[in-house]
Amino acid sequence: MSSSLKALLGSKTATLKQEIEGLLAAHGNTPIADVTVSQAYGGMRDIKCMVTETSSVDPQEGIRYRGMTIPEMQAKLPKAQGGTQPLPEGVFWLLLTGDVPTAAQVAEVTAAWRAEEALPDHVKRTLDALPATTHPMTQLSIGILAMQTDSTFAHRYREGMPKSAHWDAMYDDVVRLMGRMPVLAAYIYRRSYKGGQHIAPAADKSLDWSANLAHMLGFEQGEFRELMRLYMSIHADHEGGNVSAHATHLVGSALADPYLSLAAGMNGLAGPLHGLANQEVMRWLVGVKAKLGGGVPTKEQLQTFVWNTLNSGQVIPGYGHGVLRVTDPRYLAEREFALRYLPDDENFQIVKMLYEVVPDILTKQGKAKDPWPNVDAHSGVLLVHYGLDEYDFYTVLFGVSRAMGVLASLVLDRAVGSPLERPKSVTTDWLKKKVAAVLAT
Ligand code: NMX
Ligand code: MLT
């Protein structure tokens, strides 16, 4: 499978590999971090011990894809005709190469992905064997694994491909996976919620990837297409340490093919502290409305409800973050979309009011290090506005987008020959002895 993106990638990663080899040869023993006992027990927070090229998250500023903020991407990446949001195909190009693609290059990615959009029959049969009530994220993971029969990487590995060819095989798998992810997602949506009445991909092959996803889900509004372009662009990547990226990278480090690796990442995304928070936010918000008699509650009512949630030992979904210490810029991009297209939406009024109420309360409670909203606090209300109100499906959309970032990183991992990931674990006994030894010196 050749393309100008693949050719560009080949030359860029050769240079990157050389840079890494030079850095390792000259400074391989230079320390970059110390590890405390709290970090060893505390989810390894803040330890700088892995490398991810595609994006980075600054606690005070939020995400940058290859150095670009979301507003910069919205300004600089190619868009659909008449649209204002970046095309995710361009985001993928940016993540992989660090370059802003031209419209023609983005069209090339659209064509390559859309050429791969047929879901094999055995994948459909596998999904159809599951109860329609199976959680959509479980179906997504099973569907990805069922597609593994087609893995070029696994096939070529068995045939003895050299290490230098790993990235090439990985790239081919990733193109196919990216082409199929929206079809798989739409298949899950229509079988779970629309009686199995499936919608074929758009006959117009030049229709962009997100608009085609909207079409296969059953939503033809132009605004919903724009929402999908925004949604797919901003959920794609959040540096390497988040659960879905880290899990994908870790499993891939054993040279598991991208189907096996991505399924692992998606299983992590399905946790309520990670991507599943987007469905939990909507459930919680609807619970607020129901308990308070419907409509938009008063600020005082909301404050009481938030405290009741905290006092009953639950988290406020959509608030807090492992890295961020400010409002997530992805939340702000969603808010901007809402202010433009659905300013009077009732749920949006509540989301806005929560933004005024929750940070204060979390700060007063004094536990959460970050009292501000993350991306999941806002995405659900946008989807509900256009009629996509099956909350359990929301994390699948997150997953389709996240596939771009984690798979781009997987290609880069294989291109630079990243080794098996295998950190050292210690026991509590070892830690006690270590602390005693440190105190004695
Ligand atoms: N509501 C109530 N308590 C919270 C919240 C929150 N939104 N956020 C953090 N805390 C608590 C947390 O549970 C912990 O309590 P304890 O000591 O009793 O275990 C304490 O504050 C310290 O946690 P942090 O160090 O601030 O947060 P951590 O890095 O461990 O976790 C999250 C980050 C995102 C898991 C956490 O903020 C959370 O549970 N948020 C709600 C779920 C959510 O929105 N997840 C989506 C994240 C974004 N994504 O898409 O993945
Ligand atoms: C993500 O997008 O992966 C989340 O914000 C979680 C994280 O970065 O830890």
Side-chain angles (χ1 to χ4, degrees):
M1 213 180 276
S2 68
S3 69
S4 57
L5 176 54
K6 195 177 188 181
L8 177 64
L9 196 59
S11 74
K12 289 224 169 211
T13 52
T15 310
L16 177 65
K17 193 162 186 281
Q18 268 178 4
E19 273 177 43
I20 295 171
E21 282 163 2
L23 196 59
L24 282 171
H27 304 290
N29 292 324
T30 305
I32 54 166
D34 286 327
V35 180
T36 64
V37 174
S38 302
Q39 286 174 313
Y41 280 111
M44 301 188 278
R45 214 66 92 250
D46 292 336
I47 303 174
K48 294 178 181 64
C49 59
M50 61 188 296
V51 182
T52 301
E53 306 290 352
T54 49
S55 69
S56 66
V57 178
D58 180 89
Q60 301 303 326
E61 189 197 51
I63 186 69
R64 279 181 185 260
Y65 291 177
R66 294 284 190 167
M68 287 180 83
T69 62
I70 293 173
E72 282 165 359
M73 287 195 292
Q74 285 169 319
K76 291 186 184 152
L77 287 179
K79 301 163 191 55
Q81 208 169 16
T84 58
Q85 301 301 336
L87 287 165
E89 296 92 316
V91 169
F92 182 73
W93 187 292
L94 174 71
L95 291 172
L96 260 182
T97 65
D99 291 350
V100 172
T102 63
Q105 288 169 328
V106 165
E108 187 193 294
V109 177
T110 303
W113 288 2
R114 294 228 32 217
E116 298 288 348
E117 64 193 4
L119 212 54
D121 275 346
H122 78 271
V123 177
K124 296 181 191 169
R125 286 201 304 276
T126 302
L127 292 171
D128 289 342
L130 298 168
T133 50
T134 307
H135 192 280
M137 281 305 283
T138 309
Q139 296 189 53
L140 183 71
S141 177
I142 291 171
I144 293 167
L145 284 176
M147 294 193 289
Q148 193 263 352
T149 47
D150 288 346
S151 173
T152 302
F153 185 91
H155 179 75
R156 286 179 61 188
Y157 191 86
R158 203 175 312 133
E159 295 197 328
M161 96 179 130
K163 192 171 178 185
S164 57
H166 285 180
W167 78 269
D168 181 284
M170 188 63 85
Y171 180 90
D172 290 352
D173 268 349
V174 166
V175 169
R176 176 165 294 154
L177 254 168
M178 288 316 306
R180 286 183 180 172
M181 284 297 280
V183 195
L184 176 61
Y187 194 87
I188 292 166
Y189 179 71
R190 304 288 306 180
R191 80 173 289 270
S192 298
Y193 306 112
K194 304 292 171 190
Q197 294 188 330
H198 297 290
I199 300 172
D204 172 8
K205 289 284 187 185
S206 67
L207 188 66
D208 62 277
W209 185 74
S210 315
N212 186 41
L213 168 62
H215 162 74
M216 291 183 292
L217 291 172
F219 297 85
E220 299 294 356
Q221 312 96 307
E223 282 179 24
F224 189 81
R225 287 181 176 185
E226 276 289 272
L227 174 59
M228 282 297 100
R229 293 174 190 127
L230 171 69
Y231 194 109
M232 291 296 134
S233 294
I234 64 176
H235 287 80
D237 213 29
H238 219 233
E239 72 175 29
N242 69 73
V243 172
S244 49
H246 192 185
T248 307
H249 166 78
L250 169 67
V251 173
S253 83
L255 297 187
D257 63 60
Y259 296 87
L260 300 170
S261 307
L262 180 64
M266 294 298 106
N267 292 342
L269 192 69
L273 297 189
H274 192 14
L276 204 78
N278 61 8
Q279 74 166 51
E280 296 304 297
V281 165
M282 269 325 290
R283 228 176 234 111
W284 184 76
L285 201 144
V286 166
V288 174
K289 281 189 1 184
K291 286 222 174 87
L292 300 179
V296 180
T298 65
K299 229 174 172 176
E300 291 68 32
Q301 284 176 315
L302 259 190
Q303 281 163 336
T304 306
F305 198 87
V306 171
W307 273 117
N308 287 345
T309 302
L310 290 175
N311 292 336
S312 67
Q314 298 167 62
V315 295
I316 307 299
Y319 279 76
H321 200 272
V323 177
L324 290 168
R325 297 295 176 258
V326 290
T327 299
D328 190 337
R330 300 171 296 178
Y331 174 96
L332 293 174
E334 293 173 329
R335 179 183 161 92
E336 200 181 291
F337 187 96
L339 286 168
R340 175 171 183 175
Y341 292 112
L342 44 127
D344 302 324
D345 182 277
E346 187 176 285
N347 288 327
F348 177 46
Q349 303 311 314
I350 303 177
V351 165
K352 274 200 299 191
M353 212 184 275
L354 283 168
Y355 192 23
E356 291 163 25
V357 162
V358 176
D360 250 10
I361 295 179
L362 284 176
T363 305
K364 280 197 185 101
Q365 194 211 26
K367 277 172 71 175
K369 292 187 191 70
D370 172 40
W372 301 105
N374 61 61
V375 67
D376 296 325
H378 214 311
S379 50
V381 293
L382 304 178
L383 297 167
V384 168
H385 180 80
Y386 294 102
L388 207 168
D389 56 7
E390 297 89 356
Y391 313 142
D392 285 3
F393 184 70
Y394 292 174
T395 313
V396 172
L397 291 176
F398 193 154
V400 173
S401 168
R402 181 52 55 97
M404 284 199 290
V406 300
L407 292 176
S409 277
L410 212 51
V411 174
L412 294 173
D413 285 345
R414 297 292 74 79
V416 299
S418 299
L420 182 79
E421 190 170 289
R422 204 319 187 174
K424 177 82 185 93
S425 71
V426 294
T427 61
T428 297
D429 197 40
W430 184 94
L431 277 172
K432 285 198 286 193
K433 286 180 185 142
K434 178 73 183 173
V435 169
V438 171
L439 290 177
T441 58

